[in-house]
Amino acid sequence: MTTRRELANAIRVLSMDAVQKANSGHPGAPMGMADIAEVLYNDYFSHNPKNPKWINRDRFVMSNGHGSMLPYSVLHLTGYDLSIDDLKAFRQLHSKTPGHPEYGYTAGIETTTGPLGQGITNAVGMALAEKILAAQFNKPGHTLVDHYTYVFLGDGCLMEGISHEACSFAGTLGLGKLICFYDDNNISIDGHVDGWFTDNTPKRFEAYGWQVLADVDGHDADAIKKAIDAARAETHKPTLICCKTIIGYGSPNKAGTHDVHGAPLGNDEIALVRQTLGWTAEPFVIPAEVYAGWDATAKGAAAEDAWTAQLAAYAAAYPTESAEFMRRMEGKLPANWSEIIGKAIETTNAKAESPATRVASKNALDLLAPSLPEFLGGSADLTPSNNTFNKASRYINPGDHKAQDFSGNYISYGVREFGMSAIMNGAALHGGLLPYGATFLMFSEYARNALRMAALMKTHNIFVYTHDSIGLGEDGPTHQPVEQIPTLRMIPRMSVWRACDSLETLISWKHAIEYQGPSCLIFSRQNLKFQQRTPEQIANIEKGGYILKDTDGTPDVIVIATGSEVELAMEAAAKSDKKVRVVSMPCTDVFDAQDAAYKESVLPAAVTARIAVEAAIPDGWYKYVGLNGKVIGMKTFGESAPAPQLFKEFGFTVDNVLATINSFA
């Protein structure tokens, strides 16, 4: 009979062989954590390799993503669609085994990890999603949602500040089905961590409200099993299992050193590892008995079949709830979505209100949210300013020492902009929820890498940013975004909307809800005038840029504007003696995706007298106005003063726009 250590050694040899073949990678973590993975997957982990998207599967996150050969090895060994040839192609172009785990490349990889600390934070989002969906759908005698989220993480993850944000939050929420294995090997790339990481990690996590199981021998299967049993028995707290491991376990000369962290072992050392482990098979050859010991296909199929029977019983007892559950898990919009959004557009246009777009955003949510129970809203401690709590919202964590209610749909994240955003990514990846989370636009800077990860993974979530410019006013330049909008637009796959009024605000929400990827919705603090439109203009808002005001014949000048600056452009155009076309461009990425004929109809190439107006860094607008065009934008940081004074100070006035229009011969 194959021993546990022999099964674990399969991970070790596959990992070191793949890294050696690629001449690149990190063999140390997979070799050090192999015994933990063996116990977890063979004794506890509920999954179906033949259906990696089974709804009620356990989730696994390799937060120390450089150790990617560990999950790749496990996926191959347990029966996923990941061949030995795929392992041989580790780190090669277009392979299923990229250098770090990439969501969407490999069946069974739940999230993209690599930027340390974000994997554990994604996992918090997954565990949160599981707890919310269980509260919303499980019924007495019918447990539909019931699974664990397991995480491997290392010293690097715990050094990153985001881990503090996420793990503190997870403890407060009592995410009892979140179980993390800390690879406590005292090594990072620079060497032994004693010179830069001396935290008392167990005490730190106890202070967060976690169950901590310290000093577990990460190479003793019985000790690991005992720890997992204790973790699963604690239902009210997440658990950190601190596993003492040896990085590069099995390497006679490099184990326990940083030499094995991020470099191939070398052929001579690999030969010694095989000798030390008693592994006689050639590289990339796994004995049949080892494959048999790992194969999870039969057990996985049985687990899914049992759940499918539960689903059928649930559907018989609760047909409406069952249909809603499946709709949400499949990521489909309500069947009457077209009717819902059509009525909302009609209502908003008829009211013709002129609030701040942050208020218009709440009004849009009031219209849409009752029909979208998958919404998981929230704010990083700015709910009254962001206006994200709507008439359909119910707090999960209401504060004031009130009981938590996980059947709710709104979260106070606290001052955790980065953590919030990465938690949203995890919740979106889990499925069944459509997260939106808010803060001031300026503080998107704290969250920037999570936004990039959202775009990289195409997660369907909505980042809401208010107080969008120097219009913030008295809080001063620390709170006034100037470079944020242009740089957000530079993120591939990120759809960025800056609305000029209540109708554009609603349309931005429509797009974000329908778009299969992340969106940034950017809203003002100050009131913005409603713009009257024809039915054709209303329809064209969804094209990202459209003619809001036109003139007879070919225009003399085209003025392009977004957000609060559209009103300036319209007033200046009305005062000019020239033939001025005003183009509102709430979303450049959507406009850029239109066909050439439509873009030419809005911005005819023959008209080179063009102006762009936006209270932000101007550089990105030159692709629309050309080298002969002009941009009224911010060339420096703002100042602390009332908004009207600031707009005048920095040239965002009707008179300045008019003068710029008239400057063209």
Side-chain angles (χ1 to χ4, degrees), residues 200 221 263 360:
N200 188 327

Side-chain angles (χ1 to χ4, degrees), residues 178-226:
L178 175 64
I179 299 174
C180 301
F181 299 84
Y182 167 34
D183 185 26
D184 186 7
N185 58 29
N186 202 44
I187 293 291
S188 68
I189 290 177
D190 278 0
H192 289 270
V193 302
D194 308 85
W196 50 89
F197 185 58
T198 57
D199 295 15
N200 188 327
T201 296
K203 292 296 184 184
R204 168 184 160 187
F205 275 77
E206 287 174 1
Y208 291 156
W210 288 53
Q211 174 183 224
V212 178
L213 306 174
D215 298 318
V216 175
D217 186 342
H219 302 297
D220 182 334
D222 290 337
I224 297 165
K225 186 174 175 63
K226 182 179 178 182

Side-chain angles (χ1 to χ4, degrees), residues 376-580:
L376 176 64
S379 173
D381 206 48
L382 285 168
T383 292
S385 294
N386 298 146
N387 285 268
T388 39
F389 194 88
N390 60 80
K391 68 180 185 181
S393 297
R394 288 196 300 116
Y395 276 105
I396 289 171
N397 53 340
D400 300 320
H401 304 289
K402 296 177 182 176
Q404 296 172 338
D405 180 5
F406 284 89
S407 68
N409 61 2
Y410 192 90
I411 293 176
S412 288
Y413 286 97
V415 187
R416 298 183 176 96
E417 296 89 355
F418 193 4
M420 174 183 73
S421 304
I423 288 168
M424 289 167 58
N425 286 344
L429 289 166
H430 179 279
L433 299 172
L434 175 51
Y436 67 87
T439 184
F440 286 0
L441 176 58
M442 187 64 245
F443 304 131
S444 66
E445 291 297 318
Y446 284 126
R448 184 55 65 107
N449 200 254
L451 303 185
R452 187 177 188 272
M453 296 299 287
L456 190 63
M457 295 187 285
K458 305 179 189 177
T459 57
H460 190 192
N461 46 21
I462 303 168
F463 303 103
V464 179
Y465 297 124
T466 68
H467 299 64
D468 66 348
S469 71
I470 57 173
L472 175 65
E474 293 87 345
D475 279 338
T478 62
H479 284 53
Q480 293 167 7
V482 295
E483 75 273 28
Q484 282 64 41
I485 296 172
T487 56
L488 288 171
R489 289 178 180 141
M490 294 172 67
I491 302 175
R493 300 178 185 150
M494 181 67 73
S495 196
V496 180
W497 287 76
R498 185 175 185 235
C500 79
D501 68 359
S502 59
L503 189 58
E504 283 193 359
T505 297
L506 177 67
I507 298 297
S508 72
W509 272 104
K510 175 182 185 294
H511 176 86
I513 291 164
E514 297 173 353
Y515 178 57
Q516 293 304 302
S519 300
C520 293
L521 307 186
I522 297 171
F523 301 126
S524 73
R525 180 193 186 192
Q526 71 275 23
N527 293 347
L528 301 184
K529 182 180 178 181
F530 184 84
Q531 302 295 330
Q532 297 291 336
R533 300 171 180 85
T534 66
E536 181 182 10
Q537 287 174 316
I538 293 173
N540 285 340
I541 294 174
E542 296 191 46
K543 296 180 179 180
Y546 64 101
I547 301 169
L548 183 60
K549 178 186 182 301
D550 211 359
T551 183
D552 293 333
T554 302
D556 297 324
V557 180
I558 298 174
V559 182
I560 311 166
T562 75
S564 53
E565 289 71 68
V566 169
E567 185 176 334
L568 293 180
M570 292 289 285
E571 292 182 19
K575 290 184 176 183
S576 177
D577 294 330
K578 294 182 179 292
K579 296 192 292 184
V580 180

Side-chain angles (χ1 to χ4, degrees), residues 557-561 569 573 580-584 609-613 657 661:
V557 180
I558 298 174
V559 182
I560 311 166
V580 180
R581 172 179 291 181
V582 176
V583 173
S584 178
R610 301 181 183 184
I611 303 165
V613 191
V657 177
I661 292 171

